[in-house]
Amino acid sequence: MHRNFSFVILTFIVIMSINAQQQSKQTLPYYNIPEAPENFTAGAVAARTIDALGFRYYWATEGLRSQDLAYKPNKEGRSTGETVDHIYGLSKMILKTTTLKVDEDKNTELTFEQKRKRTLENFKKASDILKNATNLKEHELVFNKNFKLPFWNAINGPITDAIWHSGQIVVMRRTSGNPMPKGVNVLLGTKK
């Protein structure tokens, strides 16, 4: 009787632990792509592009190990970890086109998980703002008060650059022996 009770308690703890891990993963944005807006507006299309980026980045970086982050295809190339850092910087640049305010962390050393979380949150914040945008001319890519570029440059600059680099992470993690999780469907924006 005592063994059965202990087995039930242990099983309950294991199930709760697995459930907690699944919930914590889903608290980050982009486990799935959010529902599409009903109307096709410039802001909605820009937001959806960032949502697609967020989904790809989420799954490109999900489950990366320290050896994956250290992987470097050659002496001249970036490591996977350096690529994650670069995408984090791009996410701040993308967010800056929507708010002009970005949390700066120049003197803070972030872990991979912290960078990943902030990158995904930056994508989500930018997307949420753009979904309601009526005039993308208001969303300039601002480097300083004397150097600003129109939103067009955000599309062909940091947004598509981050998509490009997310694909590089997928290739590098496969090469380092840790392929992307199975069941990711980029067409539907879901994970089975």
Side-chain angles (χ1 to χ4, degrees):
M1 174 83 169
H2 179 63
R3 284 187 178 184
N4 287 342
F5 182 71
S6 296
F7 178 74
V8 169
I9 294 296
L10 181 61
T11 303
F12 177 75
I13 290 171
V14 169
I15 290 170
M16 293 304 291
S17 175
I18 291 169
N19 189 32
Q21 288 175 355
Q22 288 295 87
Q23 282 184 328
S24 73
K25 286 181 181 179
Q26 291 194 25
T27 59
L28 290 176
Y30 298 116
Y31 180 89
N32 290 313
I33 292 180
E35 288 294 318
E38 289 191 25
N39 298 315
F40 283 88
T41 65
V45 171
R48 188 63 170 192
T49 303
I50 294 171
D51 290 340
L53 160 60
F55 178 75
R56 282 163 172 76
Y57 179 80
Y58 182 102
W59 290 107
T61 57
E62 175 64 20
L64 288 179
R65 310 165 302 184
S66 58
Q67 58 264 43
D68 301 317
L69 293 169
Y71 177 77
K72 193 174 202 173
N74 58 45
K75 292 179 199 172
E76 293 79 33
R78 285 186 183 129
S79 69
T80 303
E82 290 167 334
T83 304
V84 166
D85 292 344
H86 181 58
I87 296 172
Y88 176 49
L90 293 170
S91 78
K92 293 192 284 187
M93 191 180 293
I94 293 166
L95 181 59
K96 211 170 168 187
T97 66
T98 60
T99 65
L100 297 180
K101 295 177 186 174
V102 176
D103 294 333
E104 291 297 329
D105 48 25
K106 292 181 180 178
N107 297 325
T108 306
E109 186 68 30
L110 300 175
T111 66
F112 161 70
E113 289 298 332
Q114 291 169 323
K115 285 182 251 186
R116 180 174 185 257
K117 180 178 188 280
R118 289 186 185 186
T119 300
L120 290 165
E121 289 171 347
N122 287 346
F123 292 152
K124 182 72 170 117
K125 288 175 192 173
S127 172
D128 288 346
I129 291 167
L130 289 171
K131 281 177 187 154
N132 298 313
T134 56
N135 183 0
L136 290 180
K137 287 184 179 183
E138 298 170 0
H139 298 283
E140 296 178 311
L141 190 53
V142 178
F143 292 91
N144 60 50
K145 67 180 184 172
N146 298 319
F147 185 50
K148 301 175 186 177
L149 296 170
F151 190 78
W152 294 116
N153 295 85
I155 294 170
N156 60 272
I159 294 171
T160 52
D161 196 29
I163 294 169
W164 173 291
H165 292 302
S166 293
Q168 289 175 324
I169 292 173
V170 172
V171 171
M172 289 191 288
R173 73 179 291 165
R174 189 178 302 136
T175 304
S176 64
N178 183 16
M180 197 167 84
K182 294 197 183 304
V184 176
N185 186 324
V186 294
L187 180 63
L188 299 178
T190 59
K191 166 76 166 76
K192 291 181 185 178

